[in-house]
Each structure stands twice: as structure tokens, then as C-alpha cells.
Amino acid sequence: MTTESTSHYDHLEQMSVHDLLVTINKEDQTVPLAVEKAIPQIEALVTETAKRMKEGGRLFYIGAGTSGRLGIVDASECPPTYGVPHDLVIGLIAGGDGAIRKAVEFAEDDPEQAWKDMAPYHPDSLDTVIGIAASGRTPYVIGGLEEARKAGLLTGCIVCNEGSAVAKAAEYPVEVVVGPEFVTGSTRMKAGTAQKLVLNMVSTSVMIRLGRVKGNKMVDMQLSNIKLQDRAARMVMDELGVDREKAETLLAQFGNVRGAIEGYKP
């Protein structure tokens, strides 16, 4: 597996801080190019996911360790950014929520646990499951995808090795091969960056296809802090050509940017 292959660099402990930073950055610059090669795979996954979600389906992410945490981060950002329900995009990690902060030993080695973790959500055939695993061999993810596929769910994955067991378990695999890590086997680095980039692309594209963006604006975002309230006011001002006081009045009345714009009567 390329994710486990030896780093292109050695004697890291002898490098200056400057050389460490420059070299890590040099390696990181290869990641977007690897993602670019996978765009046809990402496009197929997004297209099918959006199609099902338009019919009422949900999106699940399953993963272990860094991969699981990245899925949870992406899922948790969807409600505040796009105003969707908290159970529309769901991130699950091997070992449960406690594993978000502290690793749970051997949790990723149980091939039956992911489907058990999904059970309380009553998954059905309109749902999509994306398994996230840098190595592509995590039993938690493989088992979850296999059971989801048997149950008729759409299955995809994000992996960083070619021809992996996780990819074989998914109908729509995304393989982003980033090569050896700067620190051998440390897949939280380039592999993690690649997974984050792909997750950004998947969730953002799906939300746009679901109509959660108008023009280039997050018109359904939750107004949960002063920064977002200010952003919302500026969006309404720009769209409607009204002053801040009127924009804030409209937002107070309708609760979000979309409502303010659509409910405005000159």
C-alpha cells in the first residue's frame, strides 16, 4: 500500500525547522493534483447521492480514527452552513463519540459495528453511505459498506490506495492516491488532507444540487452568532438593495436570508 510505503525523506530529526516546513509543504502541494485525477469518480458519487437525497434520502459517513473524525466534521458543518436538519448528514466513528477525542483501541477491527451504529437511524434504500479509510482496509468500514449494500443503500468510499477492500465493497469508490507520507504511515497528513478536500467537494456539491445555495450565497445558513448575523445582513442588503436596518428587520421577521429575500415586499 502506498500509504504505508517509506517516506521520500529520511533523517527527519536532523532537519532544521525551516527545512521541515518547506518539505511538508512541498508534499502537500501534490494532494490537489491527486484529487483532480479522481474527479470523474467524485462526480459519479455526487450525482447518485444528490439524486437519492432529492427523494428524501440521507448521507452517512463511516470511518475510524482520523478518517472518522473528518466525516464527523463535514457532517456537523452541514446544518449551520446550509440550514438542513441535523439528521440529514450523519457522521459515525468506530468507538462512538468518545473516539472523536480519544482513540478507542481495536474499535476499527469489528466489521459488524458500523451497521450496528447505523441501526438507530433506521437506514433505508434512499440513503447513501460513504466509507472513509485512508488505507482502504479498515474492517469497520468494509463491513458497514457490505451490509449497507445488501440493504439496498447507495455505497461510496474515499480511500488513498488503489484496489483496496473498501473500494471493492463500494459501488462508487473514490481513490485518491497521494503516495508516501512525509512521516512514514502518518495518514493524518497527505491522506487526511485529500479526504478533507474530497469531503468538501461532495457535501458542497450535493447541497448546491439540493438548492441550498442561491447564486453563490449560503441563503439557508443558521444565524447562530454575530459574525453570521452580520454576513446575513450584508447578503440581504446586496440582494435587495436595502439598508442595514431594513435587512435586519427582514431577518428578524423571516429567520434566514432566503426567507428575507423571498418575503420582501418593496
Side-chain angles (χ1 to χ4, degrees):
M1 297 187 299
T2 57
T3 54
E4 294 293 329
S5 55
T6 301
S7 171
H8 295 307
Y9 311 91
D10 203 353
H11 307 299
L12 305 185
E13 71 280 8
Q14 297 175 19
M15 287 187 179
S16 67
V17 171
H18 176 79
D19 287 345
L20 287 170
L21 299 178
V22 167
T23 311
I24 291 171
N25 180 248
K26 179 181 177 182
E27 284 295 302
D28 285 345
Q29 290 177 42
T30 68
V31 176
L33 300 177
V35 172
E36 182 180 21
K37 293 178 182 178
I39 284 178
Q41 294 179 325
I42 302 169
E43 180 181 358
L45 176 58
V46 167
T47 300
E48 293 302 317
T49 300
K51 187 186 302 181
R52 293 198 180 200
M53 293 184 77
K54 284 180 180 179
E55 297 177 14
R58 298 163 295 176
L59 172 58
F60 290 86
Y61 296 133
I62 58 173
T66 298
S67 298
R69 295 182 188 103
L70 288 169
I72 288 171
V73 167
D74 194 77
S76 67
E77 290 292 344
C78 288
T81 305
Y82 300 109
V84 297
H86 285 273
D87 60 354
L88 185 69
V89 184
I90 301 161
L92 299 173
I93 185 171
D97 285 355
I100 297 172
R101 290 184 177 274
K102 186 177 180 180
V104 178
E105 291 186 2
F106 303 108
E108 69 174 57
D109 296 326
D110 185 348
E112 299 179 0
Q113 190 59 48
W115 189 245
K116 291 178 182 177
D117 290 344
M118 290 178 61
Y121 298 95
H122 306 290
D124 63 39
S125 58
L126 285 179
D127 294 332
T128 298
V129 182
I130 297 179
I132 312 169
S135 67
R137 64 180 182 182
T138 308
Y140 179 85
V141 176
I142 297 168
L145 290 173
E146 289 176 344
E147 290 302 315
R149 196 165 178 176
K150 289 177 188 175
L153 281 71
L154 182 73
T155 54
C157 71
I158 304 169
V159 297
C160 296
N161 285 308
E162 288 183 319
S164 68
V166 167
K168 290 175 183 176
E171 297 168 272
Y172 291 90
V174 174
E175 298 172 306
V176 184
V177 182
V178 295
E181 296 287 1
F182 179 70
V183 175
T184 299
S186 182
T187 51
R188 73 180 185 88
M189 299 186 75
K190 289 194 300 182
T193 300
Q195 291 171 328
K196 181 67 171 77
L197 291 176
V198 174
L199 287 166
N200 287 348
M201 296 166 79
V202 169
S203 59
T204 303
S205 299
V206 165
M207 290 298 153
I208 292 171
R209 300 298 290 173
L210 293 179
R212 291 289 173 167
V213 171
K214 179 177 174 61
N216 59 15
K217 304 292 194 303
M218 301 179 290
V219 293
D220 293 317
M221 68 181 182
Q222 296 176 356
L223 309 185
S224 55
N225 59 45
I226 293 174
K227 178 190 72 175
L228 296 179
Q229 290 173 351
D230 176 67
R231 180 187 298 166
R234 286 186 282 108
M235 289 165 64
V236 173
M237 291 165 65
D238 291 344
E239 184 71 20
L240 300 179
V242 298
D243 60 21
R244 177 170 286 272
E245 183 179 359
K246 182 62 175 178
E248 291 176 348
T249 299
L250 288 167
L251 287 168
Q253 180 181 355
F254 293 100
N256 63 18
V257 175
R258 183 188 297 276
I261 292 172
E262 294 178 353
Y264 174 63
K265 291 186 173 44

